[in-house]
mmCIF file of all heavy atoms in Angstrom:
data_model
loop_
_atom_site.group_PDB
_atom_site.id
_atom_site.type_symbol
_atom_site.label_atom_id
_atom_site.label_comp_id
_atom_site.label_asym_id
_atom_site.label_seq_id
_atom_site.Cartn_x
_atom_site.Cartn_y
_atom_site.Cartn_z
ATOM 1 N N VAL A 48 -3.929 88.676 -8.253
ATOM 2 C CA VAL A 48 -4.050 90.165 -8.356
ATOM 3 C C VAL A 48 -3.124 90.807 -7.301
ATOM 4 O O VAL A 48 -2.846 92.012 -7.400
ATOM 5 C CB VAL A 48 -5.542 90.565 -8.176
ATOM 6 C CG1 VAL A 48 -5.944 90.500 -6.705
ATOM 7 C CG2 VAL A 48 -5.742 91.998 -8.714
ATOM 8 N N VAL A 128 -5.243 103.314 -0.221
ATOM 9 C CA VAL A 128 -5.071 102.614 -1.496
ATOM 10 C C VAL A 128 -4.813 103.527 -2.687
ATOM 11 O O VAL A 128 -4.214 103.133 -3.675
ATOM 12 C CB VAL A 128 -6.293 101.655 -1.752
ATOM 13 C CG1 VAL A 128 -6.249 101.011 -3.124
ATOM 14 C CG2 VAL A 128 -6.372 100.601 -0.667
ATOM 15 N N TYR A 131 -1.395 103.587 -3.983
ATOM 16 C CA TYR A 131 -1.050 102.265 -4.580
ATOM 17 C C TYR A 131 -1.611 102.160 -6.009
ATOM 18 O O TYR A 131 -0.980 101.601 -6.869
ATOM 19 C CB TYR A 131 -1.669 101.192 -3.660
ATOM 20 C CG TYR A 131 -0.963 99.832 -3.756
ATOM 21 C CD1 TYR A 131 -1.424 98.776 -3.000
ATOM 22 C CD2 TYR A 131 0.096 99.593 -4.621
ATOM 23 C CE1 TYR A 131 -0.835 97.528 -3.072
ATOM 24 C CE2 TYR A 131 0.675 98.352 -4.710
ATOM 25 C CZ TYR A 131 0.232 97.329 -3.945
ATOM 26 O OH TYR A 131 0.783 96.101 -4.030
ATOM 27 N N ILE A 132 -2.831 102.693 -6.190
ATOM 28 C CA ILE A 132 -3.387 102.738 -7.540
ATOM 29 C C ILE A 132 -2.553 103.639 -8.431
ATOM 30 O O ILE A 132 -2.255 103.299 -9.619
ATOM 31 C CB ILE A 132 -4.862 103.196 -7.516
ATOM 32 C CG1 ILE A 132 -5.725 102.233 -6.740
ATOM 33 C CG2 ILE A 132 -5.421 103.370 -8.945
ATOM 34 C CD1 ILE A 132 -7.173 102.646 -6.593
ATOM 35 N N THR A 177 -13.862 99.090 -15.780
ATOM 36 C CA THR A 177 -14.354 98.819 -14.427
ATOM 37 C C THR A 177 -15.836 99.147 -14.329
ATOM 38 O O THR A 177 -16.626 98.392 -13.697
ATOM 39 C CB THR A 177 -13.555 99.633 -13.373
ATOM 40 O OG1 THR A 177 -12.160 99.433 -13.573
ATOM 41 C CG2 THR A 177 -13.916 99.183 -11.960
ATOM 42 N N PRO A 265 -8.318 95.682 0.434
ATOM 43 C CA PRO A 265 -9.662 95.561 -0.130
ATOM 44 C C PRO A 265 -9.705 94.665 -1.372
ATOM 45 O O PRO A 265 -10.668 93.839 -1.500
ATOM 46 C CB PRO A 265 -10.042 96.998 -0.478
ATOM 47 C CG PRO A 265 -9.249 97.847 0.451
ATOM 48 C CD PRO A 265 -7.928 97.110 0.642
ATOM 49 N N ARG A 266 -8.715 94.766 -2.258
ATOM 50 C CA ARG A 266 -8.773 93.945 -3.499
ATOM 51 C C ARG A 266 -8.606 92.467 -3.161
ATOM 52 O O ARG A 266 -9.214 91.618 -3.820
ATOM 53 C CB ARG A 266 -7.731 94.435 -4.481
ATOM 54 C CG ARG A 266 -6.312 94.064 -4.166
ATOM 55 C CD ARG A 266 -5.364 94.521 -5.252
ATOM 56 N NE ARG A 266 -4.012 93.993 -5.061
ATOM 57 C CZ ARG A 266 -3.096 94.496 -4.292
ATOM 58 N NH1 ARG A 266 -3.398 95.602 -3.583
ATOM 59 N NH2 ARG A 266 -1.879 93.953 -4.179
ATOM 60 N N GLN A 267 -7.734 92.148 -2.199
ATOM 61 C CA GLN A 267 -7.527 90.741 -1.844
ATOM 62 C C GLN A 267 -8.745 90.156 -1.133
ATOM 63 O O GLN A 267 -9.099 89.010 -1.413
ATOM 64 C CB GLN A 267 -6.276 90.581 -0.960
ATOM 65 C CG GLN A 267 -4.996 90.975 -1.622
ATOM 66 C CD GLN A 267 -4.723 90.216 -2.905
ATOM 67 O OE1 GLN A 267 -4.193 90.772 -3.876
ATOM 68 N NE2 GLN A 267 -5.039 88.953 -2.921
ATOM 69 N N GLN A 269 -11.717 91.131 -1.723
ATOM 70 C CA GLN A 269 -12.710 91.034 -2.794
ATOM 71 C C GLN A 269 -12.567 89.726 -3.570
ATOM 72 O O GLN A 269 -13.559 88.991 -3.752
ATOM 73 C CB GLN A 269 -12.554 92.199 -3.781
ATOM 74 C CG GLN A 269 -13.519 92.195 -4.963
ATOM 75 C CD GLN A 269 -14.925 92.556 -4.566
ATOM 76 O OE1 GLN A 269 -15.144 93.341 -3.648
ATOM 77 N NE2 GLN A 269 -15.891 92.009 -5.247
ATOM 78 N N SER A 345 -3.199 96.785 -14.302
ATOM 79 C CA SER A 345 -4.622 96.983 -14.598
ATOM 80 C C SER A 345 -5.501 96.052 -13.732
ATOM 81 O O SER A 345 -6.563 96.450 -13.277
ATOM 82 C CB SER A 345 -4.924 96.784 -16.078
ATOM 83 O OG SER A 345 -4.485 95.484 -16.500
ATOM 84 N N GLY A 346 -5.046 94.807 -13.490
ATOM 85 C CA GLY A 346 -5.777 93.901 -12.637
ATOM 86 C C GLY A 346 -5.982 94.473 -11.268
ATOM 87 O O GLY A 346 -7.079 94.462 -10.698
ATOM 88 N N MET A 347 -4.903 95.027 -10.722
ATOM 89 C CA MET A 347 -4.991 95.600 -9.370
ATOM 90 C C MET A 347 -5.937 96.832 -9.380
ATOM 91 O O MET A 347 -6.775 96.958 -8.503
ATOM 92 C CB MET A 347 -3.609 96.058 -8.894
ATOM 93 C CG MET A 347 -3.560 96.673 -7.536
ATOM 94 S SD MET A 347 -3.860 98.473 -7.527
ATOM 95 C CE MET A 347 -3.978 98.783 -5.795
ATOM 96 N N VAL A 348 -5.780 97.706 -10.374
ATOM 97 C CA VAL A 348 -6.600 98.908 -10.427
ATOM 98 C C VAL A 348 -8.067 98.590 -10.551
ATOM 99 O O VAL A 348 -8.923 99.162 -9.825
ATOM 100 C CB VAL A 348 -6.145 99.801 -11.626
ATOM 101 C CG1 VAL A 348 -7.112 100.962 -11.812
ATOM 102 C CG2 VAL A 348 -4.757 100.301 -11.411
ATOM 103 N N ILE A 349 -8.430 97.634 -11.390
ATOM 104 C CA ILE A 349 -9.823 97.275 -11.614
ATOM 105 C C ILE A 349 -10.454 96.700 -10.354
ATOM 106 O O ILE A 349 -11.532 97.163 -9.912
ATOM 107 C CB ILE A 349 -9.925 96.279 -12.791
ATOM 108 C CG1 ILE A 349 -9.561 96.960 -14.089
ATOM 109 C CG2 ILE A 349 -11.347 95.658 -12.852
ATOM 110 C CD1 ILE A 349 -9.320 95.995 -15.238
ATOM 111 N N VAL A 350 -9.778 95.729 -9.734
ATOM 112 C CA VAL A 350 -10.369 95.084 -8.529
ATOM 113 C C VAL A 350 -10.382 96.081 -7.354
ATOM 114 O O VAL A 350 -11.383 96.142 -6.605
ATOM 115 C CB VAL A 350 -9.601 93.819 -8.174
ATOM 116 C CG1 VAL A 350 -10.194 93.193 -6.909
ATOM 117 C CG2 VAL A 350 -9.637 92.822 -9.328
ATOM 118 N N ALA A 351 -9.344 96.875 -7.187
ATOM 119 C CA ALA A 351 -9.312 97.822 -6.090
ATOM 120 C C ALA A 351 -10.397 98.875 -6.257
ATOM 121 O O ALA A 351 -11.094 99.263 -5.304
ATOM 122 C CB ALA A 351 -7.935 98.520 -6.031
ATOM 123 N N ALA A 352 -10.634 99.347 -7.510
ATOM 124 C CA ALA A 352 -11.674 100.352 -7.732
ATOM 125 C C ALA A 352 -13.050 99.786 -7.435
ATOM 126 O O ALA A 352 -13.881 100.475 -6.846
ATOM 127 C CB ALA A 352 -11.595 100.851 -9.175
ATOM 128 N N ILE A 353 -13.286 98.526 -7.807
ATOM 129 C CA ILE A 353 -14.563 97.898 -7.543
ATOM 130 C C ILE A 353 -14.775 97.745 -6.031
ATOM 131 O O ILE A 353 -15.834 98.050 -5.471
ATOM 132 C CB ILE A 353 -14.688 96.548 -8.228
ATOM 133 C CG1 ILE A 353 -14.878 96.761 -9.733
ATOM 134 C CG2 ILE A 353 -15.813 95.704 -7.676
ATOM 135 C CD1 ILE A 353 -14.877 95.495 -10.545
ATOM 136 N N ALA A 354 -13.731 97.266 -5.338
ATOM 137 C CA ALA A 354 -13.822 97.071 -3.874
ATOM 138 C C ALA A 354 -14.068 98.390 -3.189
ATOM 139 O O ALA A 354 -14.926 98.496 -2.266
ATOM 140 C CB ALA A 354 -12.553 96.419 -3.371
ATOM 141 N N LEU A 355 -13.353 99.420 -3.540
ATOM 142 C CA LEU A 355 -13.512 100.736 -2.875
ATOM 143 C C LEU A 355 -14.867 101.350 -3.190
ATOM 144 O O LEU A 355 -15.531 101.919 -2.291
ATOM 145 C CB LEU A 355 -12.387 101.665 -3.333
ATOM 146 C CG LEU A 355 -10.994 101.343 -2.829
ATOM 147 C CD1 LEU A 355 -9.981 102.290 -3.499
ATOM 148 C CD2 LEU A 355 -10.901 101.461 -1.325
ATOM 149 N N SER A 356 -15.320 101.257 -4.447
ATOM 150 C CA SER A 356 -16.627 101.816 -4.776
ATOM 151 C C SER A 356 -17.759 101.077 -4.059
ATOM 152 O O SER A 356 -18.768 101.704 -3.692
ATOM 153 C CB SER A 356 -16.851 101.774 -6.286
ATOM 154 O OG SER A 356 -16.975 100.438 -6.745
ATOM 155 N N THR A 357 -17.597 99.777 -3.889
ATOM 156 C CA THR A 357 -18.599 98.985 -3.117
ATOM 157 C C THR A 357 -18.645 99.480 -1.680
ATOM 158 O O THR A 357 -19.748 99.669 -1.116
ATOM 159 C CB THR A 357 -18.260 97.511 -3.159
ATOM 160 O OG1 THR A 357 -18.266 97.060 -4.517
ATOM 161 C CG2 THR A 357 -19.290 96.695 -2.376
ATOM 162 N N MET A 358 -17.497 99.699 -1.071
ATOM 163 C CA MET A 358 -17.479 100.200 0.295
ATOM 164 C C MET A 358 -18.090 101.600 0.397
ATOM 165 O O MET A 358 -18.848 101.874 1.328
ATOM 166 C CB MET A 358 -16.017 100.226 0.817
ATOM 167 C CG MET A 358 -15.492 98.876 1.177
ATOM 168 S SD MET A 358 -13.906 98.914 2.043
ATOM 169 C CE MET A 358 -12.810 99.321 0.713
ATOM 170 N N ILE A 397 -12.474 107.913 -7.961
ATOM 171 C CA ILE A 397 -11.329 107.236 -7.322
ATOM 172 C C ILE A 397 -10.165 107.138 -8.289
ATOM 173 O O ILE A 397 -9.012 107.467 -7.883
ATOM 174 C CB ILE A 397 -11.769 105.815 -6.864
ATOM 175 C CG1 ILE A 397 -12.661 105.869 -5.648
ATOM 176 C CG2 ILE A 397 -10.508 104.961 -6.536
ATOM 177 C CD1 ILE A 397 -13.383 104.593 -5.308
ATOM 178 N N LEU A 398 -10.373 106.763 -9.508
ATOM 179 C CA LEU A 398 -9.272 106.624 -10.455
ATOM 180 C C LEU A 398 -8.723 107.997 -10.867
ATOM 181 O O LEU A 398 -7.490 108.115 -11.077
ATOM 182 C CB LEU A 398 -9.735 105.825 -11.675
ATOM 183 C CG LEU A 398 -10.081 104.366 -11.424
ATOM 184 C CD1 LEU A 398 -10.313 103.619 -12.734
ATOM 185 C CD2 LEU A 398 -9.000 103.685 -10.592
#
Side-chain angles (χ1 to χ4, degrees):
V48 75
V128 174
Y131 203 180
I132 297 177
T177 309
R266 73 177 190 277
Q267 295 304 141
Q269 179 73 31
S345 56
M347 180 273 173
V348 172
I349 291 166
V350 179
I353 287 176
L355 290 174
S356 67
T357 300
M358 286 191 284
I397 288 167
L398 294 189

